[in-house]
Amino acid sequence: MHQIDQLTITHTGVTTFTATDRTLKPITVTITCPQGLAAGTDLRVSMSTFHSYTTDWQLDGVTVAAGTGRIVVGHELPRDWTERVRGGVGPAGGGLVGRPINEVHLVVFQVTEPLSSGAQIVVALRANSSIHAAIAGALLVKVRAPGDEPFTPVDQPIPLQNQAGPATRLEVRATASPDAEGRHRVVIFAGDELLNPAPTYVGTLTLHADGPVIGLPDQILLPPTTQGRAQLDEVELADTLAAPTAVRITVEDAAKGLTATSNPILATPLGKLNHYFGAIHFHTRLSVDGDRDPRAAYAYARDILNLDVVAMTDHAPIGAGWEEALAVNEEFYAPGRFVTLPAWESSNAYGHANLYLRTPASKTGPWYWNPEVNPSEVSWPDDVVMVPHHTNTGQPIARGEHKEAWRQGRYWAKYDWLIPNPRARLVEVVQGRSNFEADALDSEWGIVMGEQGASVQNALAMGWRLGFVAGTDNHEGHPTQRHGRYVGMTCFRAAELTRDAIWQAMDQRQTYATSGVPIVCDFTVNGLPAGHEGTVPAGEPIHFSARLYGTAPIAVVEIIADGCTIWQAQPNRWDVELDAVPLPTPIGPWGYYYLRLRQADGHRAWLSPVWLTREE
């Protein structure tokens, strides 16, 4: 052991990265062995965070310098998810026992001929870091003496930093519905081309609104001390806007040629309920393949994205991980300001689903995780809402063959809608991977995975009554983001911003999905709000009404029934108001109707269905 105790580490090359610069940078790690190393000694270089390592890294070599001896490389840089999480069992639940959580082993080598005193092992890499500037890691070197079981750290970690690129954009995020005092919170921030907040931004912003607004300054100065961010807490829409009309705020930095317009904001609710926007499917370092501290993720959702609701859904964080998840939710929960939901993901061989708990005292939790079943096979308590996701993708796995499939790198199958479950109240219609609304691929609506007969429309046709939500499935602690773009935002229709009201909105299907931006929508069929069920007397006509307020001009609006488009319009307007538009009656004894829209910028929204049963 004395030889191992004397090892030291030095490094040269780049250790500070810029998230927007995707070129590889050289970094060399040198391990000095003052007293040599015995044959049979193992050494390992790892990355401390899962996503600071990207699969375009290169290993230029591991060599012996300044001495004699020989080493053999056992494995090199992992290229796929299976290699990065090796040592455990799949799918991604229960902590994937077998390696330190979040750590990625980059290269392992063994001394096959003793190294002489003073010999050096040189590991030459070319690297970059995550596209998320907040994700930073460290290179770790560990050693194992011949005959020992555990690896022990060598010297100190080599910290790797990651920073945002230059500011190329502004964003304005406003709460869509006012708080109890009638005020809206507005957050303005600068960001780089990959959506990272740019703390070095300095500028003078002019502000104006397209309607009468109180408490909006004409100009804001962002000096270095503001970290490129401003927050306005007392913006109110004027009394003259008592009717449900949307207003948007525009900010401009004329000197830099940057401008941005906010999402629509309302003085009064559309219908009887407010609009609250949130992110309810993303992962943190509590997942085996996740990153970022949960507190940093929640602070980002609240203070930068200006969301109303958030829920991290880590992969079955058992024990201390679950206790930390519950503790973070309680720390950040602020009724009327920011709602946090206790939640977790059950990643199973025959389907994936997220579980949302009404209270942290629920008797269910990650210990319910069973990788060998479909989540619909579990008897969830009444205080849990189950939400299947990426239902129409995966690799075919026959029942009972999941363990063999895992060995082949196949970790989940399409969702099995033949198994009913009363706690499946919602379905994730869109997320970072794809839109799973329909079976047929459709680039206009973002359906790039499917053709397996397990889409949302397949479930609806089988009689499932599911409202719509959206997810991100980001594994780097950045809600509503994936691969440098916004994806997966859910709107909750609720009377107040409290945990119980938001959970009830989910349980009652008072939700809708967007592709990542806060589009404000209201949709009724024969007066029934989205998510509701009702009856139609014989001979009574069907009609719908909608209020749609976009974050860009709305290019297409469609009504879908029985898997088909039965009505379409191309308004090409920011605001669309439709009243008592006729629709055909259900083909069979019952039918569903939902609205979807697509904006000129490509962002979309899907409003939960209304179900109608005919009275004979």
Side-chain angles (χ1 to χ4, degrees):
M1 290 296 294
H2 187 62
Q3 290 179 314
I4 292 176
D5 293 342
Q6 297 297 313
L7 299 180
T8 60
I9 300 172
T10 56
H11 67 276
T12 59
V14 175
T15 57
T16 297
F17 300 89
T18 299
T20 55
D21 180 358
R22 305 314 298 163
T23 59
L24 296 176
K25 313 295 190 303
I27 179 170
T28 299
V29 178
T30 300
I31 306 165
T32 300
C33 313
Q35 297 187 5
L37 278 179
T41 301
D42 297 319
L43 295 104
R44 181 172 70 200
V45 180
S46 300
M47 170 59 70
S48 66
T49 46
F50 198 83
H51 292 94
S52 291
Y53 167 72
T54 62
T55 54
D56 57 349
W57 277 42
Q58 293 183 21
L59 176 65
D60 289 338
V62 183
T63 58
V64 175
T68 61
R70 187 170 181 270
I71 60 172
V72 171
V73 174
H75 80 75
E76 300 185 0
L77 299 174
R79 293 302 180 192
D80 60 30
W81 187 86
T82 306
E83 291 179 307
R84 284 194 283 171
V85 297
R86 73 195 177 285
V89 297
L96 278 177
V97 295
R99 69 177 184 85
I101 192 168
N102 309 118
E103 187 177 321
V104 178
H105 302 332
L106 303 179
V107 58
V108 175
F109 45 93
Q110 185 176 78
V111 178
T112 56
E113 294 181 7
L115 300 185
S116 60
S117 297
Q120 295 180 328
I121 303 170
V122 179
V123 181
L125 299 161
R126 277 180 284 171
N128 59 27
S129 194
S130 169
I131 64 169
H132 296 293
I135 303 300
L139 288 175
L140 313 171
V141 178
K142 297 183 180 181
V143 63
R144 180 170 63 187
D148 282 358
E149 182 63 28
F151 281 81
T152 58
V154 174
D155 210 337
Q156 298 299 311
I158 301 170
L160 305 180
Q161 303 300 321
N162 199 18
Q163 61 191 14
T168 59
R169 61 203 311 276
L170 293 172
E171 289 198 45
V172 191
R173 296 289 188 106
T175 50
S177 294
D179 63 16
E181 286 73 41
R183 297 171 178 172
H184 294 265
R185 185 178 59 257
V186 180
V187 173
I188 303 164
F189 64 96
D192 67 18
E193 63 187 29
L194 291 176
L195 310 183
N196 294 295
T200 60
Y201 171 83
V202 173
T204 300
L205 304 177
T206 58
L207 296 83
H208 69 272
D210 60 2
V213 174
I214 301 168
L216 186 71
D218 295 329
Q219 191 176 84
I220 293 178
L221 176 65
L222 294 183
T225 54
T226 64
Q227 299 287 295
R229 175 187 175 275
Q231 180 170 317
L232 308 175
D233 292 317
E234 299 185 358
V235 173
E236 298 182 52
L237 301 191
D239 293 339
T240 55
L241 289 176
T245 302
V247 172
R248 298 171 182 83
I249 297 167
T250 297
V251 301
E252 181 180 12
D253 181 339
K256 296 183 176 64
L258 302 178
T259 186
T261 299
S262 77
N263 55 283
I265 60 178
L266 304 173
T268 57
L270 295 179
K272 298 180 180 179
L273 301 174
N274 293 319
H275 287 71
Y276 300 115
F277 287 92
I280 58 171
H281 182 188
F282 67 95
H283 301 264
T284 74
R285 64 164 172 76
L286 298 182
S287 290
V288 67
D289 53 352
D291 281 312
R292 205 177 193 187
D293 183 81
R295 292 169 177 83
Y298 273 29
Y300 175 74
R302 181 190 62 191
D303 301 334
I304 300 296
L305 299 181
N306 201 17
L307 296 177
D308 303 302
V309 180
V310 71
M312 55 181 165
T313 51
D314 284 299
H315 292 299
I318 304 296
W322 181 237
E323 294 301 319
E324 182 175 0
L326 293 178
V328 172
N329 275 291
E330 295 313 298
E331 288 174 29
F332 279 80
Y333 178 40
R337 167 63 179 89
F338 192 61
V339 166
T340 60
L341 296 173
W344 60 283
E345 178 173 340
S346 184
S347 301
N348 303 39
Y350 305 105
H352 288 204
N354 293 327
L355 291 310
Y356 300 91
L357 314 186
R358 189 164 190 168
T359 74
S362 171
K363 299 303 182 182
T364 185
W367 51 90
Y368 270 62
W369 173 64
N370 183 349
E372 301 183 5
V373 302
N374 181 291
S376 287
E377 296 178 69
V378 179
S379 296
W380 304 105
D382 288 342
D383 61 357
V384 173
V385 169
M386 183 184 78
V387 183
H389 63 262
H390 55 57
T391 62
N392 204 30
T393 189
Q395 307 84 12
I397 301 176
R399 281 286 175 156
E401 297 182 0
H402 53 278
K403 292 184 179 178
E404 177 59 31
W406 294 342
R407 285 189 283 270
Q408 299 171 7
R410 295 182 290 127
Y411 292 103
W412 77 85
K414 65 183 182 181
Y415 205 85
D416 188 350
W417 291 115
L418 292 175
I419 308 169
N421 192 297
R423 299 316 303 154
R425 305 290 294 161
L426 304 167
V427 62
E428 190 179 88
V429 67
V430 64
Q431 62 144 253
R433 290 179 175 87
S434 183
N435 165 15
F436 297 100
E437 169 191 7
D439 198 41
L441 304 185
D442 186 339
S443 60
E444 288 190 350
W445 290 98
I447 305 174
V448 298
M449 294 180 175
E451 299 184 324
Q452 297 197 42
S455 71
V456 173
Q457 287 184 3
N458 291 124
L460 295 176
M462 295 169 63
W464 286 79
R465 300 201 168 184
L466 303 167
F468 296 163
V469 297
T472 303
D473 222 352
N474 174 285
H475 279 58
E476 296 168 275
H478 284 71
T480 75
Q481 288 178 235
R482 190 175 176 94
H483 303 319
R485 58 189 178 89
Y486 287 119
V487 297
M489 182 179 288
T490 297
C491 182
F492 305 85
R493 303 296 309 275
E496 61 181 6
L497 188 57
T498 62
R499 180 178 287 164
D500 198 61
I502 294 299
W503 188 90
Q504 287 191 62
M506 299 179 74
D507 187 50
Q508 297 167 11
R509 301 186 296 248
Q510 299 298 290
T511 60
Y512 65 85
T514 85
S515 58
V517 293
I519 305 169
V520 175
C521 303
D522 185 62
F523 169 62
T524 63
V525 178
N526 283 24
L528 291 170
H532 280 61
E533 306 175 35
T535 58
V536 183
E540 181 175 313
I542 309 295
H543 58 83
F544 82 92
S545 298
R547 298 289 184 272
L548 312 171
Y549 302 111
T551 60
I554 298 171
V556 177
V557 180
E558 294 185 344
I559 302 297
I560 308 297
D562 297 318
C564 299
T565 300
I566 61 169
W567 183 90
Q568 186 192 77
Q570 298 178 356
N572 293 311
R573 299 194 306 271
W574 288 72
D575 300 334
V576 178
E577 299 183 358
L578 301 162
D579 287 304
V581 180
L583 291 173
T585 58
I587 297 173
W590 64 271
Y592 66 83
Y593 301 84
Y594 69 84
L595 183 149
R596 66 181 184 181
L597 67 83
R598 185 172 68 249
Q599 298 187 153
D601 64 358
H603 275 294
R604 308 168 180 90
W606 297 261
L607 277 67
S608 293
V610 173
W611 289 268
L612 292 179
T613 300
R614 286 208 260 186
E615 291 181 356
E616 298 300 335

